[in-house]
Amino acid sequence: MDRLSNAEQRELETRMQQKQMKEFMNVFSGLVNHCFDACVDDFTTKSLVQRETGCVSRCVQKFMAGSERIGQRFQEEQAKMMQNPPPGR
């Protein structure tokens, strides 16, 4: 990024932020859709029933725990790659 002008750097940062926001929204939307499909099946009331509320809470907790673990594994693998770079580099 040292070779980019200030305007180019700002443009790149803006695009990266937009891409991150889009990715976040896709993940969030996927989570909502998954937990809704898995947990909500009583459409006779306006609000979630207690069973559905508990299911949604567990679904989100599992998703968050899984995401955290995936992030940890990614960092572990990245650290291994930094210690033992592939041949030819």
Side-chain angles (χ1 to χ4, degrees), residues 63-78:
F63 178 85
M64 296 302 289
S67 295
E68 183 178 344
R69 182 63 185 134
I70 289 169
Q72 288 171 347
R73 290 288 297 148
F74 179 77
Q75 288 177 345
E76 291 166 5
E77 291 300 316
Q78 195 172 30

Side-chain angles (χ1 to χ4, degrees), residues 1-61:
M1 283 186 37
D2 293 336
R3 296 181 186 166
L4 300 177
S5 69
N6 286 339
E8 291 170 328
Q9 286 180 2
R10 284 192 301 276
E11 175 68 21
L12 179 60
E13 289 172 7
T14 299
R15 287 182 186 224
M16 289 172 60
Q17 288 172 350
Q18 289 171 342
K19 186 168 179 62
Q20 287 175 331
M21 180 58 79
K22 184 177 178 180
E23 182 62 28
F24 170 79
M25 294 304 295
N26 285 336
V27 169
F28 181 76
S29 177
L31 171 64
V32 169
N33 287 331
H34 173 74
C35 292
F36 182 87
D37 290 345
C39 297
V40 179
D41 55 13
D42 181 359
F43 297 98
T44 61
T45 63
K46 289 182 181 180
S47 301
L48 297 176
V49 296
Q50 186 175 359
R51 177 188 51 77
E52 292 170 330
T53 301
C55 179
V56 169
S57 292
R58 287 186 302 277
C59 182
V60 171
Q61 287 173 352

